[in-house]
Amino acid sequence: MTIGFWDYITFATLAIVGAGGLIFVIWMMGLPGRIAIARKHPDAEAVKIMGYAGFFVMVPWIQAFIWAFKPTDIVDVRRFPKEEARAIDEEIERLSGKPAPKSASSVDASADSAGPSAGPSSNDSRHD
């Protein structure tokens, strides 16, 4: 028995189909996380981890998929709503690999560090 041309074609076809199947499974595992990031979900990292970790059991993956679409009106009581929205945006930018947007607090801090040239100093007061 010898290995001929058609045997090599069969092996190559099986390798291509196997690699394509593996790529598809990895893509499906990450789908809930990518959806959560695109929807700016505050728990996007947890959804992403649950999607990868729960795929082979299937029930946790389905829960992660549903969680990615769940509307989120959660406000952390430790932050004001504007700060919460900014923190979520920064987390989403970090997870998607984009540079973080310049926050208003860093702009305010740079304006405060301008020093006494930004306005009248306290030593200029006149007593008539």
Side-chain angles (χ1 to χ4, degrees):
M1 180 171 200
T2 61
I3 296 178
F5 172 75
W6 293 110
D7 294 323
Y8 288 117
I9 295 295
T10 303
F11 296 145
T13 303
L14 288 174
I16 290 170
V17 169
L22 184 62
I23 290 170
F24 177 74
V25 166
I26 292 171
W27 180 81
M28 282 296 290
M29 290 169 75
L31 188 60
R34 287 192 303 276
I35 291 170
I37 290 170
R39 293 176 57 91
K40 297 187 179 203
H41 196 287
D43 299 321
E45 190 167 13
V47 173
K48 183 178 178 181
I49 291 169
M50 190 172 174
Y52 281 112
F55 185 75
F56 293 111
V57 182
M58 196 47 90
V59 172
W61 184 86
I62 293 170
Q63 290 174 338
F65 195 78
I66 293 168
W67 191 14
F69 282 104
K70 182 181 175 228
T72 55
D73 298 329
I74 300 170
V75 176
D76 191 348
V77 296
R78 297 171 293 177
R79 300 178 181 156
F80 292 133
K82 195 180 285 186
E83 291 173 341
E84 177 73 17
R86 187 177 324 123
I88 291 170
D89 288 340
E90 289 172 358
E91 183 71 14
I92 294 297
E93 296 298 326
R94 185 186 67 79
L95 288 173
S96 62
K98 297 177 185 173
K102 196 162 198 155
S103 64
S105 62
S106 64
V107 172
D108 292 340
S110 65
D112 290 341
S113 65
S117 63
S121 67
S122 60
N123 294 338
D124 289 342
S125 61
R126 295 183 194 166
H127 299 287
D128 290 333

